[in-house]
Every structure is written in structure tokens, then in C-alpha cells.
Amino acid sequence: MTEIEWRAALAEFVRSRAAGDAPDEITALAITERIIESFPEPTPAHAVRWKLAAWRRRPVDPAVADAVERVAHVLVHTDTNATISRQQVGSHAGRPLDLFVATMAWGFGEQAYGWHRTRRILDRDAQQRLPALVDALRSNADRPAQTWHMLMGPQGLRGLGPAFGTKLAYFASYSNERGDGPLIADQWTAWAFWAFAGPWDIRSSPHTYAEYVHHCHAWATRLHRRPDDVERAFFLAGPYIRQVWRQAMQ
């Protein structure tokens, strides 16, 4: 199925949800599978363009500036942009500060304000507490509700919300070998989970986040895929789901 075809099937599915119908799991699974089949590369190789020049323009804390350069060093890049994949972000797991910078770089991609927002989070206090947070996320990799509590509670970092907090948890803790661990929960995966499974909003509580993670793992087993394949499919579907829902509600 091409992207045009899965989008057509998804639009029909979302219009039925907007009309008040319950999610049809068999159809939702089939659409998710078609989206995964359309991936141009395996999920670990899923890469985005990073607006590197914006991150180099205003170096602040030397430790953070050094982390930016270490992350950039292993990438293919020009003076202004780089390309960074999920696998490359995860390769920095041994250095919490580098991991955080790589996570934010991947998450913000070409959005120039990403450096400004990252810099606001990474004050000296955050840098000191980051290693303990990463260790705690790894220790609770199989307990998504606890992951949410750590990110949103006192152990979390000021300014690090669910969307980027769960990215950090994913890159710190997800096992490519076993295919398990926490998953990214942002506005687009939230829209897709609402359409395909019902609950809104996966970012709002430990219960809803855990339900989302367990759901993705269960669907991955049924589809013989990776859980982050399902998460990535949800991310791709999310913007289109919101668009169709808004049109249907006018």
C-alpha cells in the first residue's frame, strides 16, 4: 500500500472516530502495518536533519558547547546542517550530557529555536542531576508508569515536558536487541493513539502513558514488528489524523 492509499484508509477511519464510532482494532492494525511497510529505512536508521549552525552560533556553558561538538563530530554534516539518526543518538548512552544534547537535536531537527529551548533546560543544576535521572530511567525501563513519574516529578528537569522527556527515556533505555523499553509520547503519537485505541491524552498521566507503551508493545508482537516501529507509525499518522478530525468537526 502506498502512502496515498494508507492516508485514504486512515481518513475514512478518522471520520468514523469523529462521528463517535469506537476504534476498530483490526482496521487500525492493518493501517499501522501499511504505514510501517512504507518506511524508507529501518527505524534505528530513521534520521532527521539537525540545524547545527543554530546550536553553534551562541555557545554558552563550555560543557554544553563541548557536548554539541562531540555529537556533531560523528555525523555527516556541513557547516550549517547535520543528519542524525535514532541509532546515532543512542550511541551517546555512555555520556548523559551528550545523550541529552543528541536527543534534543534529533527531536528539534531543523527547528532553529531548538537550541534556545535546550539551553534553557541545561543549567548547571540540570547538568548535575542529569546522570542520576538517566540511571533511574534505565533502572525502570520496563515500568512506563514509573518512567512518567520520574520525568514529571521531582527527579525530572525543569522545562523538560513529556514529549522530550519520553524521547530521553527512549534513547536512554530502549533495547534494540530485545526490542523493549519506553517509547516517545508527543502530540502526534497522542493523536494516533486516540484514533486507534481511544484514550486521550497519553502525555497526561502515568496511567495513560503506560497504557500507550503496553499497547505499542502488544501491537508490535501481533505485527511481528518492533514497538518503536509502531510508535513511529503513530508519529507519521498523527498530523494527518488531526487534520482530518478538524475538518470532520467543522
Side-chain angles (χ1 to χ4, degrees):
M1 183 181 285
T2 65
E3 181 175 343
I4 293 175
E5 290 171 328
W6 70 248
R7 282 193 171 213
L10 182 58
E12 181 178 353
F13 188 91
V14 174
R15 283 191 286 267
S16 73
R17 292 285 289 118
D21 293 344
D24 176 354
E25 186 178 50
I26 299 302
T27 303
L29 272 167
I31 294 171
T32 302
E33 173 69 0
R34 299 292 83 79
I35 297 173
I36 294 172
E37 288 176 349
S38 74
F39 292 170
E41 71 284 295
T43 293
H46 173 211
V48 301
R49 287 174 62 83
W50 172 29
K51 201 169 185 65
L52 177 57
W55 292 60
R56 284 174 159 167
R57 190 174 299 133
R58 296 179 181 176
V60 280
D61 187 298
V64 179
D66 288 347
V68 170
E69 293 307 318
R70 284 192 297 269
V71 171
H73 178 71
V74 299
L75 306 177
V76 175
H77 62 80
T78 64
D79 289 338
T80 56
N81 293 290
T83 301
I84 184 168
S85 71
R86 293 189 185 216
Q87 195 165 35
Q88 287 168 325
V89 176
S91 72
H92 295 283
R95 287 178 173 262
L97 182 58
D98 295 12
L99 178 68
F100 187 87
V101 167
T103 297
M104 301 297 276
W106 184 87
F108 282 113
E110 293 190 279
Q111 298 174 359
Y113 59 79
W115 171 232
H116 172 69
R117 294 192 179 179
T118 301
R119 184 176 58 185
R120 288 177 59 185
I121 297 170
L122 278 179
D123 58 19
R124 287 300 180 93
D125 177 66
Q127 290 180 48
Q128 291 173 358
R129 296 197 298 115
L130 184 59
L133 174 60
V134 170
D135 284 345
L137 291 170
R138 288 178 180 147
S139 297
N140 291 274
D142 59 346
R143 297 195 289 173
Q146 187 62 22
T147 294
W148 191 96
H149 276 300
M150 286 185 296
L151 290 169
M152 299 300 107
Q155 284 181 275
L157 305 182
R158 185 176 60 184
L160 186 67
F164 280 86
T166 56
K167 286 179 178 68
L168 178 63
Y170 167 76
F171 286 119
S173 308
Y174 188 86
S175 171
N176 282 308
E177 291 75 24
R178 297 190 308 274
D180 61 17
L183 296 169
I184 298 168
D186 58 17
Q187 65 167 322
W188 303 132
T189 55
W191 273 101
F193 192 66
W194 163 79
F196 290 147
W200 179 269
D201 169 354
I202 62 173
R203 302 162 294 176
S204 64
S205 73
H207 170 75
T208 54
Y209 176 67
E211 184 175 359
Y212 156 71
V213 173
H214 292 316
H215 188 97
C216 288
H217 280 73
W219 275 23
T221 298
R222 294 175 66 178
L223 296 172
H224 304 289
R225 299 286 187 173
R226 298 162 50 102
D228 56 353
D229 287 336
V230 177
E231 168 255 298
R232 184 181 174 191
F234 282 13
F235 176 82
L236 286 175
Y240 191 60
I241 288 170
R242 185 180 70 171
Q243 175 188 339
V244 173
W245 179 84
R246 287 181 169 177
Q247 292 170 348
M249 299 304 290
Q250 288 179 353

